[in-house]
Amino acid sequence: MKPLTDRDLIARGTQRGRLLARGFRRQCPRCGHGDLFPSLLTIHDPCPRCGLVFEREEGYWLGAMIVAFAVIEGAFGLGFMATMVVTWPDVPWTPLLVVGLVATAVLPILVSPWTRTIWMALERGFMPAPDQPEPPPTPTVSPGGERG
């Protein structure tokens, strides 16, 4: 792993585009570390690289659920409308209902890692006053044995 530098760290409330890009890549919003999810529904907390605590309070992931709801309902709405436009006037209501129900049941699980990191990026980018002190970067040792 490359050494952690101050340039890698993003302060709260700054560089929103870079934060969102990290969220879409499922990376830590603070340092960009990418190996946050050992499995589909579990997350390394805190970040193994910079020590940022992700779930700072009970109910923190409610924002991620809202992001998931927006994504899934948007996809469902677009798919529903596209199917109606393409098949009108003989809309296949039963297959449309079955596909919609299955998709809205399975997609929240599949998009969970992305919605969590996107929520962390949004929260970090738009809430400049931290509710916890920023953890100091963990010291890293470069190949030459120097601490960074």
Side-chain angles (χ1 to χ4, degrees), residues 65-80 100 103-105 107-108:
M65 287 185 234
I66 293 169
V67 171
F69 180 78
V71 168
I72 292 162
E73 291 307 310
F76 174 77
L78 288 173
F80 183 83
T104 56
L107 281 178

Side-chain angles (χ1 to χ4, degrees), residues 55-68:
E55 187 174 5
R56 290 182 297 283
E57 61 189 6
E58 188 175 330
Y60 177 75
W61 297 121
L62 180 61
M65 287 185 234
I66 293 169
V67 171

Side-chain angles (χ1 to χ4, degrees), residues 18-49:
R18 191 168 168 208
L19 284 168
L20 278 176
R22 285 180 175 179
F24 280 105
R25 290 190 307 259
R26 298 182 347 172
Q27 296 176 337
C28 172
R30 183 171 185 247
C31 70
H33 181 66
D35 191 21
L36 298 180
F37 296 92
S39 69
L40 190 61
L41 296 176
T42 57
I43 186 170
H44 289 298
D45 194 5
C47 174
R49 185 173 183 207

Side-chain angles (χ1 to χ4, degrees), residues 63-136:
M65 287 185 234
I66 293 169
V67 171
F69 180 78
V71 168
I72 292 162
E73 291 307 310
F76 174 77
L78 288 173
F80 183 83
M81 294 303 291
T83 302
M84 282 185 57
V85 167
V86 170
T87 61
W88 192 263
D90 299 321
V91 180
W93 293 111
T94 302
L96 186 61
L97 175 66
V98 170
V99 169
L101 289 174
V102 170
T104 56
V106 173
L107 281 178
I109 296 166
L110 298 178
V111 301
S112 177
W114 285 278
T115 59
R116 286 183 183 196
T117 55
I118 290 168
W119 168 246
M120 289 187 291
L122 287 170
E123 188 268 340
R124 190 163 178 82
F126 290 97
M127 297 289 288
D131 57 355
Q132 70 177 13
E134 291 285 314

